[in-house]
Every structure is written in C-alpha cells, then in structure tokens.
Amino acid sequence: MRPYRLRSGSRAVAAVLLAVSSAACGSGAETGSDGSGGPGAGDPYFPQSGNGGYDVLHYALGLSYDPRAHRLSGTATITARATGDLTAFNLDLRGLDVEAVTVGGVRARWSRDGQELTVRPRERLDREGRFRVVVRYSGAPETVTDPDGSEEGWLRTADGALALGQPVGSMAWFPGNHHPSDKATYSIAVTVPNGLRAVSNGEPDGEETVGGRTTYRWRVGEPMASYLATVAVGRYETGRTKTPGGTAVYTAVDPGQAAASRAVLARIPEVVAWAERTFGPYPFSSTGAIVDRPEDVGYALETQNRPVFPGAPDIGLLVHEIAHQWYGNSVTPRTWRDMWLNEGFATYAQWLWQEDHGGGSAQQTFDALYAGGYFPDAESNEALWAFPPAEPPDAARISATPVYWRGAMVLHKVRQTVGDDAFAALLRGWAQEHRHGNADTGEFTAYVEESAPDKDFGGIWEEWLYGEGRPARP
C-alpha cells in the first residue's frame, strides 16, 4: 500500500483509515538501433526505471549482510530473454560497488552512470535467446528518499535492516530491471550473524549455519515485481499456521511488537478466507506478515506473500494489505500512473469488509467522503478532490489521497451502475483475467464496459476517474 505512512498528503489521515502473462511481462521499451537496450522503460513518472531489450525470467540473489558494519555483499544471477538483438543492455543499480560482471559465463565490459549499469557482452545476444548475467557487488546499501519525502531502499533498523522497494528502492540492494512491468520468479539467500533471522518473500527453502553465520533461503515461484521484494533482518519471533484452504501462513514479528500483534495476526486465516470468497482464489502459495517496530519503518507495504507493518496493524490495515495480494501483487500496474488500480481496490476492500462485519456500508462511506465529513480535518477532505485518481500530476503524488479514496469511489460508482451481483463477479473476473500479469487503466475500463455492455459508464470515467475537482452530483 504504501500508506500508512500514508504517503504524501495521505499521511495526516492514517489514523482514520479502516484502513498470466509470462513470468517476465517485459518493460515495453524499445531496443536501440545500435543494438543497445533502452536505459528506461518509459514510465511517465520514473522514466529511467526499468530497461529495454530484455525480459527477466528469474533472479537468484545471494546476499550477506553485517548490520554492525552496515555492509552488504551480493551476487545476482539474472536469467533473461532478449527481446531484440543486443550488443549492450542496462541494469538498474543504485550505489554499491560492482566488482565483476559475466554474461554466459564470460567476463563482460561494464560501465556506471547514475543508477544505470550498462553491460556489454563479448558476443551479441540474439533476439528471443535466453542469457544469464551474473553481477558481484558490495558496499553500504542506501536509503532512498522518494519524491514525496518518504524513505525506502535499505532501511537500517535497531537490530538489522528492512529492504522495501516501492516505487524504486529495490535497486538499492540488487541489480535488475526495476519496473513493475517486468515480473520474474526469485530465489533469495541471505547470510546474517547467528542470533538474527532473515525473512523474505515466498516459501522458506532451508537454512544452514557455518562459522557463526546462518544462511536463510527463500523461493518465490509466482511472478513478482521487484518493488514487492523484501528482506527483513532482525531478531524476529516467527510463527506458522494455515488458512482454512490450506495456504501456508508465515509471520515474523519483532519481539517488542509480539504481544500487541498476536490477536490481529491470528486473524490472517480468517481474512484470507473472506478475501477468497470476495476476490477469488488466493493467487500465491503462502501468506503472512512481517511486523517491525514503528520507529524502524514508517508505513505498511504490500510486499508479496507477507506484507510489512510498522507495529501491530489494526484489522482494517490487515485487510487492505492482504487485498493487495490480488490487486497490485498478482494484477500489477503496467506503469506507476496506474496506482489507483492497486490502492482504490485495496481501499474498497476495507469498505466491503466493514459491510460484511457489522460496520457501515460502502454507500455510507462514499456519502461521507462526498459530503466532506469523512476525515477529521478540512484539509484532508479537500485533498480528496485535488486531482483525478487515474492521473496523478507527478511522482510525488502517486500515493496521495485521491488515488486511494477517490479510486475507491470510482469502484463504488461502478457497483451502483451494475448492481451488487454483477460487481462481485467483476471483482473476481478482473483478478482472474490478469492473474500474475500487468494491467493499466484503459484495460480496466474496457473490461468493465465489456462485462456490462448494456450500461453507460461514460460519466463515471469522465467525472470520477479523469475529471478535475468534485463531481457535481454524488
């Protein structure tokens, strides 16, 4: 989610929140006429993020971290498919020192320019051919400050570190094609001093202790955008259980947060079961949570399989982040302009949870937002109409108030138009049609219109999704 900070203008209202395509979907950037992959994916807000000329299929990351020295050593083995004939290609990597690069087992030339690591293999890579690049690197990983002033990347904590990536922080700890349009599978091994744990995405894949250090291995079998990857290093208390449907639940909690988190984390199986009834089959092989100290991380994030929380979440925030496993993690935005497809859906999931569990109806929430009485201060209520949810004006506002609440209001207008039963089918169908893939706003509006061809959605798109200011009628 990326609030709870909340990001940007949304932070002030955090307290009132209820709070397949192939494994590599590709960045869509063109290969240069000289045979070089593009240095960016062409994102409207982060044009240098991602790269052209290839799709990543799998990341194998071997990391070693020493919290006292704040030093990270890594080997990234990236398996990819060339989408054009390549004489050179780029990887995104911020900071850190590159020690060696090989392509196909042969040492390659490379150069650095900001976040761009340009690799020049000895031989041309042929279109549609698979290749493997290995990058060895080390150094002090950076904390990245986003356009809205929030922090991500490699965050140092009281007893270790927490790696968070939305929108561009993942390039601070491993090289890759860091744009949501290129999803891949992962294997992640993290070596830390004895007494600490390393928790990541996916499934535990074994651990081994040698010479005072323990290596924890994790594997992610479903496609994952790099911004959803995480590594949490610390003295966590871990727990395992299952959902009613048999999905594994893995939790890791800072000891200081264990007592406050116990009751709400015990409801993860219940929330997942409710979400499966509402959104369709759970899209991943495990779920869970990572709970760190509020002073170590200032926001929650929907990292794949197990979201990260700044202290014990309330039930609304837990519902929000679990809903993201469908909307954001499985159905991932094609560009950062499409963030409302993440946050509007996850926010509306909270409204649906309220309806089903004795709270106010979604209509009541909608009416309170429209009337300007939902948030506790006038500034936050006015911020709802600052810009259209489908067109944030700049990178600093891709996670601001309209993306969440006005995005949810768009969905409620669709529900009003098609009726409850058709809307429930639409939620499930959208998640299924783009399962493990990418989608943008145009694809969503087309899907809605095709699902209900006898209905007119023009006013919703014009006034609520793309319109400036507060629509004249609720």
Side-chain angles (χ1 to χ4, degrees):
M1 160 163 191
R2 198 62 175 183
Y4 292 97
R5 25 202 148 244
L6 283 169
R7 288 170 62 95
S8 182
S10 306
R11 294 179 189 161
V13 298
V16 302
L17 277 169
L18 297 169
V20 148
S21 60
S22 64
C25 299
S27 65
E30 297 291 335
T31 303
S33 59
D34 60 352
S36 61
D43 190 272
Y45 302 119
F46 300 93
Q48 292 302 110
S49 295
N51 303 282
Y54 64 93
D55 291 339
V56 177
L57 305 175
H58 184 74
Y59 291 95
L61 306 178
L63 309 174
S64 179
Y65 183 60
D66 181 349
R68 290 187 177 181
H70 185 47
R71 180 174 178 81
L72 177 70
S73 299
T75 299
T77 302
I78 303 168
T79 303
R81 176 182 61 87
T83 58
D85 295 334
L86 292 175
T87 59
F89 60 90
N90 285 31
L91 299 169
D92 300 311
L93 181 65
R94 179 163 176 156
L96 300 170
D97 299 318
V98 175
E99 297 165 1
V101 180
T102 63
V103 178
V106 179
R107 292 184 71 89
R109 292 178 297 146
W110 54 271
S111 60
R112 302 286 299 274
D113 182 10
Q115 72 183 48
E116 300 297 332
L117 168 61
T118 302
V119 179
R120 297 176 177 83
R122 294 289 182 88
E123 297 184 358
R124 187 187 72 178
L125 303 174
D126 294 333
R127 180 184 179 89
E128 297 302 325
R130 292 194 178 193
F131 64 95
R132 180 170 294 177
V133 55
V134 179
V135 181
R136 288 196 297 108
Y137 58 98
S138 63
E142 296 183 7
T143 297
V144 178
T145 301
D146 289 336
D148 71 356
S150 57
E151 292 184 338
E152 57 180 90
W154 195 269
L155 308 177
R156 301 182 74 176
T157 64
D159 55 358
L162 183 60
L164 299 177
Q166 192 185 78
V168 296
S170 49
M171 68 179 71
W173 56 283
F174 69 96
N177 199 20
H178 291 292
H179 189 264
S181 61
D182 194 355
K183 301 167 76 170
T185 57
Y186 284 71
S187 56
I188 301 173
V190 188
T191 302
V192 295
N194 285 353
L196 300 180
R197 287 186 175 273
V199 181
S200 190
N201 311 87
E203 322 310 319
D205 199 26
E207 58 187 73
E208 180 183 16
T209 299
V210 177
R213 295 176 67 80
T214 302
T215 300
Y216 295 86
R217 295 182 175 85
W218 297 82
R219 53 182 169 80
V220 182
E222 300 93 358
M224 179 169 72
S226 63
Y227 81 90
L228 298 169
T230 189
V231 167
V233 176
R235 301 183 185 278
Y236 296 107
E237 294 183 9
T238 60
R240 301 189 191 204
T241 186
K242 290 185 177 181
T243 70
T247 301
V249 180
Y250 186 96
T251 58
V253 184
D254 181 277
Q257 301 298 315
S261 301
R262 191 168 293 117
V264 69
L265 296 186
R267 299 187 71 180
I268 290 176
E270 173 194 356
V271 172
V272 172
W274 170 85
E276 287 191 299
R277 293 192 298 272
T278 308
F279 309 132
Y282 184 72
F284 303 112
S285 55
S286 72
T287 186
I290 298 169
V291 180
D292 229 314
R293 306 188 318 162
E295 53 266 42
D296 287 336
V297 57
Y299 54 92
L301 191 64
E302 63 269 21
T303 44
Q304 193 155 304
N305 303 101
R306 52 195 51 86
V308 170
F309 297 100
D314 63 19
I315 189 64
L317 180 52
L318 181 66
V319 168
H320 186 110
E321 302 304 344
I322 288 180
H324 269 310
Q325 305 305 309
W326 282 261
Y327 307 109
N329 296 10
S330 177
V331 185
T332 302
R334 197 170 299 283
T335 76
W336 289 111
R337 177 175 285 149
D338 303 304
M339 270 286 280
W340 84 275
L341 291 174
N342 292 19
E343 303 302 349
F345 273 82
T347 300
Y348 201 77
Q350 295 173 264
W351 300 7
L352 294 173
W353 173 272
Q354 279 193 124
E355 283 191 336
D356 290 348
H357 293 82
S361 69
Q363 185 65 52
Q364 289 172 318
T365 303
F366 179 97
D367 290 343
L369 284 163
Y370 186 82
Y374 182 75
F375 301 123
D377 60 281
E379 181 182 3
S380 297
N381 286 301
E382 292 172 5
L384 179 65
W385 313 110
F387 59 83
E391 292 186 334
D394 50 45
R397 283 174 281 187
I398 62 170
S399 293
T401 302
V403 174
Y404 289 75
W405 287 274
R406 190 167 165 185
M409 295 175 86
V410 170
L411 296 178
H412 191 69
K413 294 297 294 183
V414 172
R415 178 183 176 183
Q416 288 178 323
T417 302
V418 302
D420 287 356
D421 291 344
F423 182 73
L426 190 151
L427 287 178
R428 295 169 65 92
W430 174 251
Q432 182 60 39
E433 180 157 315
H434 295 279
R435 184 179 175 95
H436 298 314
N438 294 84
D440 60 26
T441 300
E443 289 169 294
F444 175 73
T445 57
Y447 180 82
V448 171
E449 291 170 356
E450 291 167 4
S451 299
D454 59 330
K455 303 295 184 181
D456 181 8
F457 299 95
I460 298 175
W461 308 149
E462 181 179 354
E463 297 182 16
W464 292 89
L465 187 58
Y466 288 105
E468 297 287 346
R470 181 173 177 266
R473 296 180 301 278

